[in-house]
Amino acid sequence: MAGGAHIETGGRHYEGEVTAFVLITCFVAAMGGLLFGYDLGITGGVTSMEPFLVKFFPTVYKQMLDDSSTNQYCKFDNQLLTLFTSSLYLAALIASFFAATTSRMFGRKPSMFLGGLFFLIGALLNGLAVNVEMLIIGRIFLGFGVGYCNQSVPIYLSEMAPAKIRGALNIGFQMMITLGILGANLINYATSRHKNGWRVSLGLGAVPAILLCVGSLCLEETPNSLIERGQHVKAKTMLQKVRGTNNVDEEYQDLVDASEAASKVENPWKNITQRKYRPQLTFCSLIPFFQQLTGINVIMFYAPVLFTILGFGNDASLMSAVITGGVNVLATFVSVFCVDKFGRRILFLEGGIQMLVCQIVVGVMIGLKFGLNGQGSFNKGEADILLVFICLYVAAFAWSWGPLGWLVPSEICSLEIRAAGQAINVAVNMFFTFGIGQIFLSLLCHLKFGLFFFFGAWVLVMTIFIAFLLPETKNVPVEEMNYVWKSHWFWNKYIPDDSVPPAYNSSKAAP
C-alpha cells in the first residue's frame, strides 16, 4: 500500500514504504483509545440517569428534584458522585508508573493486554454493582486499564509508524478515544429510558476491553522494544517488515545505538531530570497539565449533566452530548489529514485561539441568562446557539490539544527516557483529570459562569507557551529529536554538543 516515503532529517535518509502491515497494526493498537473514550462518554450519561442516582446517590437525586432550595449551578454538587467519576483517574495515575516498567522490561504488547484485562474486570464489576463500594472498586480497575493503555499505546504507535506519517497514525489513538465517546453517548441515549439501562451502559465497557485483549495478542512487538530487550535479529526482521524494504541498515543501526545509550542508564526516572532532558521533561509534564486545563474532559464526561443544568431536559441533554461526540469524531479527522502536512504548531495555535473565543462566548451567554443566583433557563434558539459554540469548542480541541496532547510527548523522548517520559505524561494527565473532575461540580457551584473564563484564561497561557517554546517535530524520526532541540532558540543551551552527531555540529559551524 502507498508509495515510498523518503525521510530526511539532520542528514539522515530512511527508506521505507507505508505498508498495509503498519496500517493494520497501528489500527489494532489504537483500539486502546476506545477504553478511555468509552469511559469518558459513558460516565456523564450514567450519572444523569435517575435510576442510577436513586440507587447509589439518593441525596443527589433529592437535591436535583428540589429546585426551590438550590440554584442551577449547584444542582449536582456532591463529592461522592464526583469521586465515582474521578476515582478512575487516580488509579490510572498510579498504574502508569507500573506500566512504564512493564513496557520497558516485557514490551509494549503485554502492557496493552494488561490494560484490556483490567478494564474488562472493571466493566463487569460496574455493570453488576450492588453498592457504591463495588462501583468505586470497579472504577479503580478501569483506571488501571486506562493507565496501562495510555502509557503503552502512544509509544507503540510512535515506534511503529514511519516518521512521515507518524502524526496521522498516532492520532489514531485519539480517533479511537473520540469514537469511544460517541459510541458511549449513543448507548446512553438508547438505555436512558430503561430502569437498568445504567447496568447495560457500564457493562458494555467489556466489549472494547475484549477487542483490545484479543487484538494485542495478534500484534507484533516494535523493533525498538525488541532491540531494547536484546532480540536484535528479530528486531531487524521486524523493521524490514514494518518498512516494507530490506534496506533498513541505517535506521536499524540508529535504533541499536540509541538502545546501547539507553542500556547505560541505570535509572530512567533520575535520568530524565538531567539538564540535557529538560525539554522532554518540560513538555511531558506541561502538555498533559495544559490539556486538562482546557476544560475538555469535564465538558465531555459531564456533558449530559451540564446540558441538564442549562435547561435542555434529560433526553435533550443526552442528545446534545451525542452531537458534541459526533463533532469530536469528525474534527479529529482534520488533525489526521493536517498534522503531517502543516505540522503540530499550527494546529495547537489555531485550536487554542478558537477554544478561547468559544469559552468567552459560552461564559457570557450563561452569565447573562443565569447571573449569579443560578436562576433562569434558555429558550430553544438560545440553547441552539450555546450548543453551536460548545461544538466549535469541542472541534477546536479535537484537532489540536486532543490528539497532539498524546502525540507530542510520545514522539519527543529518546529511548533511554521514553518509558519514563510517557509515564510522566500519563500520570500528570490522570492527576489533573482526577483533580479537575473531583472539583468541577463544586467549581461550577462557586465560580458559576466564571468557570468558563477560568478555563479560557488557561487556554490563553498554554497558547502563548506553545507559540514560544514548542519547536516543530513533523517528519522527524523519533531517534533524531535532538536535532530539533539543538536548533531551537531557547532549548539549544540545554543540549550538549555530544548529543547530536558530528555532522550536525559541523554544519552549524560552516559559514
Side-chain angles (χ1 to χ4, degrees), residues 263-502:
S263 66
K264 298 175 183 177
V265 177
E266 295 182 4
N267 189 335
W269 300 102
K270 183 178 179 181
N271 203 58
I272 199 172
T273 62
Q274 292 179 15
R275 178 181 170 86
K276 66 178 179 178
Y277 298 118
R278 196 64 47 79
Q280 292 92 329
L281 180 61
T282 299
F283 286 101
C284 284
S285 302
L286 289 184
I287 284 183
F289 167 72
F290 285 141
Q291 188 190 53
Q292 293 313 305
L293 284 169
T294 62
I296 187 65
N297 277 350
V298 294
I299 294 294
M300 297 312 294
F301 62 58
Y302 285 122
V305 171
L306 182 62
F307 287 129
T308 298
I309 288 171
L310 297 176
F312 280 59
N314 287 339
D315 286 347
S317 69
L318 286 171
M319 180 49 69
S320 298
V322 170
I323 293 170
T324 56
V327 169
N328 198 15
V329 173
L330 293 175
T332 303
F333 278 106
V334 175
S335 190
V336 169
F337 291 112
C338 293
V339 68
D340 291 314
K341 184 175 182 180
F342 300 110
R344 284 64 161 151
R345 281 173 51 83
I346 189 66
L347 291 175
F348 266 130
L349 297 175
E350 192 285 331
I353 293 169
Q354 185 171 322
M355 282 192 293
L356 175 59
V357 171
C358 291
Q359 283 167 322
I360 291 173
V361 172
V362 170
V364 168
M365 285 186 67
I366 294 174
L368 290 175
K369 184 57 65 172
F370 288 88
L372 295 174
N373 61 13
Q375 302 297 320
S377 63
F378 288 107
N379 62 39
K380 187 180 186 304
E382 292 167 336
D384 288 343
I385 294 172
L386 184 76
L387 181 59
V388 166
F389 276 97
I390 289 179
C391 286
L392 288 172
Y393 162 78
V394 170
F397 177 86
W399 63 55
S400 61
W401 280 90
L404 301 181
W406 295 106
L407 167 61
V408 172
S410 73
E411 70 180 358
I412 61 174
C413 292
S414 51
L415 187 62
E416 67 267 21
I417 59 166
R418 190 168 298 151
Q422 185 63 10
I424 290 170
N425 177 36
V426 175
V428 172
N429 191 298
M430 293 301 116
F431 177 79
F432 284 98
T433 304
F434 167 78
I436 294 173
Q438 186 67 24
I439 65 174
F440 171 69
L441 293 177
S442 291
L443 283 175
L444 182 61
C445 183
H446 293 91
L447 293 180
K448 303 173 175 58
F449 61 88
L451 180 61
F452 294 92
F453 300 140
F454 170 79
F455 285 128
W458 278 108
V459 170
L460 178 61
V461 170
M462 65 187 73
T463 302
I464 294 171
F465 170 80
I466 292 295
F468 285 98
L469 294 179
L470 180 68
E472 185 53 68
T473 58
K474 71 170 184 174
N475 298 343
V476 182
V478 290
E479 306 303 342
E480 302 272 322
M481 284 293 168
N482 274 340
Y483 285 115
V484 175
W485 306 120
K486 193 66 176 174
S487 302
H488 191 264
W489 71 272
F490 180 80
W491 298 116
N492 60 15
K493 61 178 174 283
Y494 293 98
I495 310 302
D497 289 342
D498 60 5
S499 292
V500 293

Side-chain angles (χ1 to χ4, degrees), residues 63-78:
Q63 180 177 324
M64 183 180 70
L65 294 179
D66 188 12
D67 287 336
S68 62
S69 65
T70 183
N71 65 38
Q72 293 292 324
Y73 293 123
C74 301
K75 224 175 186 182
F76 288 84
D77 184 18
N78 180 277

